[in-house]
Amino acid sequence: MAFRAFRAHSVSQGSSMAERITEEPLPSTKTAQSTVTCIYQANIAGFWRNVTVLWWKNLMNHSLHISIDSVGGDFHYNCKIDVKPWNFWGKKGYKSFDVDGHHVEVYWDLQSAKFSSGPEPSSDYYVALVSKEEVAFLLGDYSKKA
């Protein structure tokens, strides 16, 4: 499994498998909603692509939005995961979609995830992208569980 980053900055969750390209949290204010956007590069469907991960939180739920760029970068393939605190089903799961005609799967386990004040989990979780039957991208500190 290989990842590239424009800027070497280790992922704060302890994963040594992916590195952030950028991190753009919104200014710290007392609002009911917050987001964190991280951009990575991963080899998905045979090409290095930007993978944008958006963690979003409001008073009612947490969401995870993953966007993968097409080869030319002019199109984005999207996957949205809602993690509602009162529903068990959204905290662990699987989705699949096509990226430039190639099957990509997203697996996640946020059942035990610990969140601080922000929308991004701080520990005890994983989010994995699988392409060509290999883990192409992995976030979180539960890599063995993934």
Side-chain angles (χ1 to χ4, degrees):
M1 175 176 12
F3 299 98
R4 287 194 308 202
F6 294 115
R7 178 172 55 108
H9 177 72
S10 296
V11 174
S12 62
Q13 290 81 15
S15 172
S16 61
M17 306 186 92
E19 294 185 352
R20 291 183 184 183
I21 295 172
T22 63
E23 179 178 348
E24 299 176 9
L26 292 179
S28 178
T29 59
K30 296 199 179 224
T31 61
Q33 175 178 322
S34 64
T35 62
V36 173
T37 302
C38 303
I39 301 171
Y40 305 88
Q41 277 199 338
N43 193 330
I44 297 174
F47 294 95
W48 286 100
R49 301 166 188 269
N50 287 342
V51 177
T52 303
V53 177
L54 171 72
W55 295 96
W56 177 77
K57 172 184 153 183
N58 67 14
L59 292 174
M60 299 304 291
N61 70 5
H62 280 84
S63 292
L64 168 62
H65 184 263
I66 299 171
S67 177
I68 301 172
D69 288 353
S70 65
V71 174
D74 53 349
F75 189 76
H76 307 285
Y77 300 93
N78 299 301
C79 177
K80 183 179 178 194
I81 300 163
D82 286 317
V83 185
K84 297 181 179 167
W86 59 87
N87 286 340
F88 177 78
W89 65 267
K91 294 184 178 185
K92 183 174 184 178
Y94 152 85
K95 284 187 177 183
S96 65
F97 56 101
D98 285 338
V99 173
D100 289 335
H102 298 278
H103 190 69
V104 175
E105 300 162 330
V106 180
Y107 295 90
W108 67 92
D109 185 350
L110 301 166
Q111 292 179 61
S112 302
K114 294 188 177 38
F115 293 87
S116 57
S117 61
E120 186 177 20
S122 56
S123 65
D124 302 338
Y125 78 100
Y126 73 82
V127 176
L129 292 176
V130 176
S131 172
K132 296 186 176 184
E133 299 183 14
E134 290 185 10
V135 176
F137 180 75
L138 179 63
L139 289 178
D141 59 348
Y142 271 14
S143 58
K144 289 188 180 189
K145 235 182 167 183

